[in-house]
Amino acid sequence: MKSLIGIDEVGRGCWAGPLVAAAVEFDDDVEIVGLTDSKKLTAKRRAFLVHEIQAKAINIGVGWVFPKEINVLGLTETVRLAMQKAIDQIHLSGQKIVIDGNYNYLPHIQNSSAVVKADGSLQAASAASVIAKVLRDEYMVQLALKYPDYGFENHVGYGTFVHRLALEKYGVLPVHRIQYKPIKKILAMHQK
């Protein structure tokens, strides 16, 4: 029986927090009812599916890259690094590897390719999307306990109106991505 590894990342567009990539290996015939792109699922449904993914996966790898590194590396290299960290946790033996999106961040790995919207059409990529989203959201909820004025438990680091207001009022934190234009703008505003 053949297996397939799906890879997806979460947190690319966030102003704060880590970028998280997950790699999930499934046998070709694995099917999890209702599994799709994490963005199309409720938080409750994602939490439920994580248990089934963990039970049916051959392997799961997770790669974390935090703002300190993101600020230095830039986004493309950050995504590549997170995906590399995730795939490094899986023993490779010629499995097909599908990365969600239009760019193969791991071209040096045999049998890797990028497929647009794979997170909605391939179970392993959907599973990677869900794992990365659930773990990252849990991390951001914990971050909210440390920085309660920023609303991380709700917007999980994305650039919402509430997040912008908190930044303007309280300033930029070490968990923010200072190379992102909105954060640069707020930093400049606070330096005046």
Side-chain angles (χ1 to χ4, degrees):
M1 192 169 294
K2 292 195 305 186
S3 66
L4 175 93
I5 299 170
I7 302 177
D8 200 7
E9 54 70 31
V10 173
R12 182 190 307 241
C14 291
W15 293 355
L19 184 138
V20 180
V24 176
E25 181 179 8
F26 278 154
D27 281 326
D28 272 350
D29 63 348
V30 165
E31 186 174 339
I32 297 176
V33 176
L35 181 59
T36 188
D37 175 6
S38 65
K39 293 184 288 296
K40 296 178 180 175
L41 299 167
T42 64
K44 188 176 180 181
R45 183 74 181 138
R46 286 191 298 264
F48 173 81
L49 286 168
V50 162
H51 300 291
E52 195 171 351
I53 292 165
Q54 290 169 333
K56 292 185 175 180
I58 298 169
N59 286 298
I60 297 174
V62 181
W64 296 76
V65 183
F66 291 89
K68 195 172 181 180
E69 286 177 284
I70 297 168
N71 292 332
V72 173
L73 296 174
L75 202 51
T76 300
E77 185 58 21
T78 293
V79 173
R80 189 207 63 75
L81 179 60
M83 290 183 176
Q84 185 66 56
K85 286 180 173 187
I87 202 75
D88 283 348
Q89 296 166 38
I90 295 178
H91 173 71
L92 298 180
S93 56
Q95 304 96 315
K96 185 177 178 185
I97 299 167
V98 175
I99 296 168
D100 176 59
N102 61 1
Y103 184 79
N104 183 357
Y105 289 92
L106 305 171
H108 58 286
I109 298 178
Q110 183 184 2
N111 298 327
S112 67
S113 63
V115 174
V116 175
K117 298 194 176 175
D119 59 358
S121 60
L122 291 172
Q123 293 274 292
S126 299
S129 170
V130 169
I131 293 286
K133 175 75 174 149
V134 168
L135 290 176
R136 188 181 184 284
D137 284 0
E138 286 173 355
Y139 176 88
M140 296 306 290
V141 167
Q142 292 304 306
L143 205 58
L145 300 175
K146 187 174 181 181
Y147 304 109
D149 297 324
Y150 287 78
F152 290 132
E153 71 280 10
N154 297 314
H155 57 66
V156 295
Y158 283 93
T160 65
F161 179 72
V162 170
H163 193 176
R164 183 185 304 275
L165 287 180
L167 280 161
E168 287 172 0
K169 186 172 182 181
Y170 304 110
V172 175
L173 298 169
V175 299
H176 282 104
R177 302 178 185 179
I178 58 173
Q179 297 302 328
Y180 282 38
K181 284 180 185 172
I183 305 301
K184 278 184 177 179
K185 193 185 245 184
I186 289 163
L187 274 172
M189 189 176 77
H190 279 267
Q191 289 169 350
K192 286 180 181 174

